[in-house]
Amino acid sequence: MLSLAIAVISVASFVFPNLTSAEGKTYTIATDITFAPFEFQDTNGDFVGIDIDLLNAIAENQGFNVEIKPLGFNAAVQALESKQVDGVIAGMSITDERERKFDFSEPYFESGVVMAIAEGNEDIASYEDLKGKRVAVKTGTEGASFAQSIQDEYGFKIVTFDDSANMYDDVKTGNSQAVFDDYPVLAYGVAQGNGLQIVTEKEVGGSYGFAVAKGENGELLEQFNDGLANLEESGEYQEILDKYLEAKKSTDTENGFFGLLKESFPSLMKGLQMTLLLTVVSLVIASILGILFGLCRVAHNAVLRAIGTIYVDIFRGTPLIVQAFFIYFGLPAALDFRISAVTAGIITLSLNAGAYMAEIVRGGIESVDKGQMEAARSLGLPYKTAMAKVILPQAIRLMIPSIINQFIITLKDTSILSIIGINELTQSGKIIIARNLESFQMWLIVGVMYFIIIMILTKVSNRMERKIQNGKA
Ligand code: GLN
């Protein structure tokens, strides 16, 4: 009970984050999870970088507050399109196409796309050498559009990733032979020793701008422009750039497996907390939905049966990731409302798991011997009482193994919600890897953490199952 109360309170603070904000308006600004030196997580787990420092300095200068949401580039742009956030700062290039949907600030950084390959690869020196090769790009970026625009001419294949770290890893491991990304980011990565080398000149690209949805948040945009101009004049703008662009190769990353573990543990634990919160809250709601719709599925009334069937069919018949996108990006865009990623995540998981639970409930009820209902009814018990007192207690015992199975599946499914930028365990792993590029060791650690939690859950459930079975036998 206590854990449920804590869960409800934490959910409330995620759903209504602004209740606690101080004076001055608070804007929610989405950003990429990994686009160093513009945005990345430092070893303390704080979000830093040129974009972040600039935005914070401008907010201070203009007297507003910001809440930064590292969603990943594509998710950030979609979140702005569906007005889930007030703005995006993510090394986002000002392009004609985007200007149709967004209003941009004055440009604050010149950029352009370059091609990089693995260090030591001597086979590729220009676009001509890409024939038949695989090129990594990041979804929805200028680098991706540029690769598409020359793809036919040079005859390469495109592989798409959601974040820069995965994209660079793919090239380093040789799955892809080249990557197209923004010059300042690749140059910074190369200087930090990311194992790549740049081989082409910069293509002319758009400058970076801060974006708000078209016609919305005009005041914020104006304040951004005013603040930017002030910072440029005072020299603070240049200081922020110098701080990151002149940064030496960082040496503050701990080495070795245990060093990494120690360093990343606090962030991972925060992620794990979110994973557990999503799981517990969703499972409570899913159980209620499961019982309601499961009963509908076995009801005598045809309308109720139809309602149960439609619900189960919809949520079993579509992938969880599509449901998450639909609930977080689709519906709010169509109906013009705002929902936090955590709320959308909980709704998605609950509806999805609820459909499976409904089937478990139906299966359980149907596998209780038909004679039980007949006997109860012939003793004069009404249908509802017979169901509640005779059938369900027996059915629940039959359902327990499947319910435990569903708990475990739902816990693992929370990882899919990283795609809408919820900072759960998988997303925490992604963000840390974006910083330290240690994908093998970090995914191993994340995998082991899931495994341990699921093992604990399994052991506890097995014990509970035995108790219930014995108690009732
Ligand atoms: N500048 C690129 C764009 O706007 C990439 C941005 C990013 O990956 N964060 O498309």
Side-chain angles (χ1 to χ4, degrees):
M1 253 308 121
L2 181 68
S3 59
L4 188 65
I6 294 173
V8 169
I9 292 167
S10 356
V11 171
S13 65
F14 278 107
V15 181
F16 309 108
N18 290 349
L19 288 184
T20 48
S21 73
E23 52 193 275
K25 233 175 162 167
T26 300
Y27 293 105
T28 314
I29 311 296
T31 184
D32 203 341
I33 56 167
T34 148
F35 205 53
F38 292 90
E39 41 267 335
F40 57 105
Q41 198 189 39
D42 67 8
T43 39
N44 301 324
D46 296 325
F47 250 82
V48 294
I50 296 175
D51 283 349
I52 310 298
D53 287 13
L54 208 54
L55 182 63
N56 282 329
I58 291 174
E60 199 186 312
N61 185 274
Q62 297 290 310
F64 61 87
N65 304 308
V66 287
E67 195 200 336
I68 294 182
K69 299 220 161 195
L71 299 184
F73 185 70
N74 191 35
V77 174
Q78 284 197 56
L80 184 60
E81 238 179 299
S82 53
K83 301 193 192 130
Q84 301 286 20
V85 292
D86 297 304
V88 167
I89 190 157
M92 183 172 175
S93 313
I94 307 173
T95 63
D96 293 345
E97 203 189 342
R98 287 180 186 154
E99 273 185 311
R100 265 177 257 139
K101 286 189 204 133
F102 307 121
D103 289 330
F104 280 96
S105 68
E106 293 298 324
Y108 64 85
F109 197 90
E110 291 274 325
S111 190
V113 173
V114 284
M115 176 169 94
I117 58 172
E119 219 169 28
N121 178 349
E122 277 161 19
D123 300 339
I124 301 173
S126 65
Y127 304 144
E128 275 81 18
D129 302 323
L130 291 176
K131 200 166 179 54
K133 303 256 176 355
R134 288 156 61 97
V135 171
V137 299
K138 178 157 67 169
T139 320
T141 60
E142 216 182 10
S145 312
F146 177 69
Q148 274 153 11
S149 72
I150 60 165
Q151 180 179 23
D152 287 345
E153 192 180 344
Y154 296 102
F156 53 82
K157 287 193 206 76
I158 291 181
V159 259
T160 317
F161 293 89
D162 270 337
D163 59 82
S164 294
N166 284 347
M167 186 161 77
Y168 299 167
D169 248 2
D170 207 57
V171 178
K172 241 176 26 182
T173 53
N175 289 332
S176 312
Q177 284 71 41
V179 49
F180 284 49
D181 206 357
D182 291 7
Y183 174 75
V185 174
L186 265 172
Y188 179 86
V190 168
Q192 296 284 316
N194 71 356
L196 303 182
Q197 55 178 338
I198 296 173
V199 280
T200 56
E201 290 296 317
K202 191 160 69 168
E203 297 288 340
V204 248
S207 303
Y208 293 164
F210 167 72
V212 295
K214 200 147 201 78
E216 310 262 333
N217 278 315
E219 189 194 355
L220 171 62
L221 196 59
E222 217 168 277
Q223 286 180 319
F224 186 95
N225 282 332
D226 292 348
L228 180 64
N230 291 345
L231 295 187
E232 278 170 348
E233 212 182 281
S234 72
E236 198 178 337
Y237 167 83
Q238 196 54 44
E239 270 169 36
I240 293 176
L241 291 197
D242 293 347
K243 174 170 160 200
Y244 291 99
L245 295 179
E246 287 171 7
K248 300 265 168 333
K249 186 172 174 349
S250 85
T251 48
D252 58 351
T253 300
E254 300 236 19
N255 284 328
F257 183 80
F258 290 102
L260 263 185
L261 186 62
K262 197 176 110 207
E263 176 191 289
S264 48
F265 204 64
S267 305
L268 289 175
M269 282 314 278
K270 260 197 223 148
L272 181 62
Q273 255 173 13
M274 177 53 90
T275 292
L276 292 176
L277 175 84
L278 291 169
T279 313
V280 172
V281 178
S282 307
L283 280 176
V284 170
I285 304 174
S287 304
I288 299 169
L289 292 175
I291 294 173
L292 289 178
F293 285 98
L295 288 172
C296 285
R297 297 271 282 158
V298 296
H300 289 314
N301 184 319
V303 177
L304 286 182
R305 274 207 311 276
I307 293 176
T309 310
I310 291 172
Y311 168 66
V312 170
D313 282 352
I314 290 179
F315 288 95
R316 258 196 342 189
T318 51
L320 182 62
I321 194 165
V322 175
Q323 294 165 11
F325 281 149
F326 187 77
I327 291 172
Y328 186 54
F329 296 127
L331 279 183
L335 306 176
D336 203 13
F337 67 93
R338 217 181 231 227
I339 184 170
S340 79
V342 175
T343 315
I346 289 175
I347 296 177
T348 311
L349 267 187
S350 308
L351 287 169
N352 184 275
Y356 289 94
M357 294 282 239
E359 281 304 271
I360 296 171
V361 170
R362 180 184 64 87
I365 293 173
E366 284 180 349
S367 48
V368 175
D369 185 31
K370 293 250 171 333
Q372 297 279 330
M373 179 57 109
E374 284 159 19
R377 296 300 301 273
S378 65
L379 285 173
L381 291 185
Y383 177 84
K384 272 191 199 146
T385 322
M387 185 54 97
K389 294 268 153 60
V390 180
I391 308 296
L392 277 182
Q394 301 185 60
I396 287 173
R397 267 200 281 167
L398 295 168
M399 289 176 216
I400 288 173
S402 314
I403 292 178
I404 294 173
N405 210 20
Q406 187 57 47
F407 282 12
I408 292 173
I409 291 174
T410 301
L411 195 149
K412 288 192 289 187
D413 278 353
T414 53
S415 65
I416 291 180
L417 299 177
S418 62
I419 205 79
I420 55 170
I422 298 182
N423 206 352
E424 42 64 71
L425 183 53
T426 302
Q427 179 83 343
S428 313
K430 273 195 210 168
I431 294 177
I432 296 170
I433 293 169
R435 179 187 72 233
N436 64 20
L437 306 169
E438 296 283 357
S439 47
F440 172 72
Q441 311 202 40
M442 288 310 302
W443 286 127
L444 185 66
I445 295 174
V446 170
V448 169
M449 285 177 78
Y450 276 113
F451 185 76
I452 293 174
I453 292 297
I454 289 173
M455 279 303 112
I456 295 174
L457 190 72
T458 312
K459 288 271 172 302
V460 173
S461 328
N462 284 348
R463 189 168 292 182
M464 259 167 51
E465 184 182 348
R466 243 174 307 163
K467 263 201 189 145
I468 295 176
Q469 307 285 25
N470 292 340
K472 297 262 168 91

